Amino acid sequence: MIQRKQTVYLILALLCAVVCLCMPLAGADVNGASAATISNFGFDGDDAPHIAWTWSLGAVLVLSCVINVCTIVKFNNRRLQSRLCVLNIMLMVVWYLILALHHFVLQGGGSAMHIRFASVLPFITIVLYVMARNGIMADERLVRSADRIR
């Protein structure tokens, strides 16, 4: 299981997602003063009621982590692994859409949002999922060609 390069990519993607869950994503400034720190499960700050639904970011990441663990465990079923990688890629895109929605909501409220390093980690997971899927598909092609020879 671990000897396959795609499993290493999936484990690295899992680690990136878990680190992203633990770190703050952005800071929100209202009238030049720091008002809130946005994380995956909420915010820390005085006056930020319009971003109270940041839990959706955390829910998408937790769901992606669970699916990633299932992907790692299902190493026998390469087709299912490939589909789960695509599902994880779509979940990360949804995560970025939700983050963009938060950004536009903050701009409409007269606030500015400053992105931090943790907001880049889901993009790294997308790249790792693509690399894992390419490795899975290469294994599938190799198995099919070996079956054809027999």
Side-chain angles (χ1 to χ4, degrees):
M1 175 170 107
I2 299 292
Q3 67 270 18
R4 296 169 59 202
K5 63 183 177 183
Q6 53 269 28
T7 305
V8 174
Y9 296 146
L10 290 170
I11 290 172
L12 288 174
L14 180 65
L15 289 175
C16 285
V18 169
V19 169
C20 183
L21 277 170
C22 299
M23 295 177 67
L25 299 173
D29 296 339
V30 178
N31 299 329
S34 180
T37 300
I38 301 169
S39 67
N40 281 300
F41 292 107
F43 61 93
D44 300 325
D46 302 333
D47 182 40
H50 53 282
I51 56 171
W53 41 272
T54 58
W55 59 268
S56 58
L57 290 168
V60 169
L61 268 180
V62 167
L63 181 63
S64 175
C65 288
V66 170
I67 292 172
N68 191 349
V69 170
C70 292
T71 305
I72 293 170
V73 172
K74 295 290 186 184
F75 61 92
N76 297 12
N77 192 345
R78 287 175 298 281
R79 289 183 185 149
L80 179 62
Q81 254 190 334
S82 174
R83 290 181 189 136
L84 290 176
C85 283
V86 171
L87 180 62
N88 271 329
I89 291 169
M90 290 189 304
L91 281 173
M92 291 295 108
V93 169
V94 166
W95 187 89
Y96 271 113
L97 291 174
I98 294 171
L99 186 66
L101 183 64
H102 283 294
H103 179 71
F104 290 124
V105 166
L106 281 174
Q107 277 186 336
S111 304
M113 188 165 118
H114 303 287
I115 302 295
R116 294 191 180 158
F117 171 71
S119 298
V120 177
L121 290 174
F123 178 74
I124 295 170
T125 62
I126 290 173
V127 171
L128 289 168
Y129 286 136
V130 168
M131 291 169 61
R133 184 173 187 280
N134 287 342
I136 292 165
M137 296 309 292
D139 280 356
E140 183 66 23
R141 284 190 298 273
L142 182 65
V143 167
R144 285 186 184 174
S145 69
D147 285 344
R148 219 173 324 164
I149 293 172
R150 284 191 236 171

